[in-house]
Amino acid sequence: FKTRSSIHLVHRLDVPTSGCLLLAFSPEAAREGQIAMLDHNRTTKTYFAICRGNGESLRERGTILEDGDVKNSRGNYQTASTIIEGVCGSDGSPRRCCLVRAMPQTGRWHQIRQHLGRLNHPIVLETRHHPDRKENRAWKELLLSSTPNPRLCLHCHRLHIKGDINGEFLPSSGIDVRCPLPSDMQSIIQMTDWAGEARAFAPELFGTRHIDQKPLK
């Protein structure tokens, strides 16, 4: 980055969320990336969340499309769709929790958080949408020994943009980047009795970063 005069954000992540973040080295490349990100037929974002509840009701339903309206930052309702899949979970140690995969089909404010809360599986340490002060306090006490600043357990694991031969800046082969879970979320999973299931389902969550193309110009 030292040889570049400027760096531009192509998209954003909520402050508590970790994971893949796409940057560009020119405003033109950033604009092209933003247009691609808005095309949900072309762009796939995959998130993983550790949620409250054992997830049994989600797993029984398989992969579902949650398409309820969500509020934007001003309190107005907007249509939103998220593909949600319960991966594994239990009532055991350290607390009742589960792993969920979510793929937003629209780009609304906090839509994954709102949809999971509506399904009665709010994300661990959720403070805005369906919060539970007692649960949050218990989780913070549990995690403070290993994590200085416990946060919302939501992670953008994969960002995939299909290629466009007419694009000027994005690689014609597309973009496919993956980022493993950060140490705080991995630590929580290691405490559970479903850690082995999580590793078997998505071993790349516990691996190394993967980048499948050259940087944006």
Side-chain angles (χ1 to χ4, degrees), residues 45-208:
K45 292 180 283 186
T46 304
Y47 289 75
F48 281 87
I50 301 175
C51 299
R52 302 204 311 265
N54 62 20
E56 183 176 354
S57 62
L58 294 180
R59 294 194 297 279
E60 287 177 348
R61 297 172 64 184
T63 301
I64 63 174
L65 178 65
E66 176 64 25
D67 57 1
D69 291 354
V70 298
K71 287 184 179 181
N72 63 18
S73 58
R74 296 181 178 179
N76 301 316
Y77 281 97
Q78 296 178 308
T79 57
S81 299
T82 307
I83 295 173
I84 292 173
E85 180 182 8
V87 177
C88 49
S90 76
D91 295 317
S93 178
R95 293 187 69 79
R96 195 167 183 247
C97 62
C98 62
L99 182 67
V100 175
R101 177 166 63 179
M103 291 178 285
Q105 305 300 292
T106 49
R108 305 305 188 190
W109 181 74
H110 291 185
Q111 74 171 63
I112 294 175
R113 296 166 62 179
Q114 293 189 62
H115 279 161
L116 286 172
R118 191 173 299 158
L119 290 168
N120 295 317
H121 283 82
I123 301 172
V124 167
L125 293 178
E126 175 63 77
T127 59
R128 184 183 289 267
H129 309 289
H130 299 265
D132 185 315
R133 291 183 179 179
K134 183 178 179 181
E135 275 292 307
N136 284 344
R137 184 165 56 251
W139 274 105
K140 284 183 178 179
E141 291 174 355
L142 177 70
L143 299 177
L144 276 173
S145 60
S146 58
T147 305
N149 298 297
R151 63 173 182 90
L152 182 81
C153 292
L154 180 62
H155 177 74
C156 181
H157 166 62
R158 185 180 184 186
L159 176 61
H160 180 215
I161 303 176
K162 295 178 182 177
D164 181 359
I165 59 174
N166 298 315
E168 183 178 355
F169 297 96
L170 296 180
S172 59
S173 59
I175 291 176
D176 188 2
V177 292
R178 278 160 275 183
C179 180
L181 292 173
S183 58
D184 57 349
M185 290 180 67
Q186 288 199 38
S187 295
I188 294 173
I189 292 174
Q190 293 307 321
M191 296 183 216
T192 69
D193 54 10
W194 44 263
E197 291 180 69
R199 285 184 173 275
F201 179 84
E204 65 273 15
L205 289 177
F206 306 90
T208 56

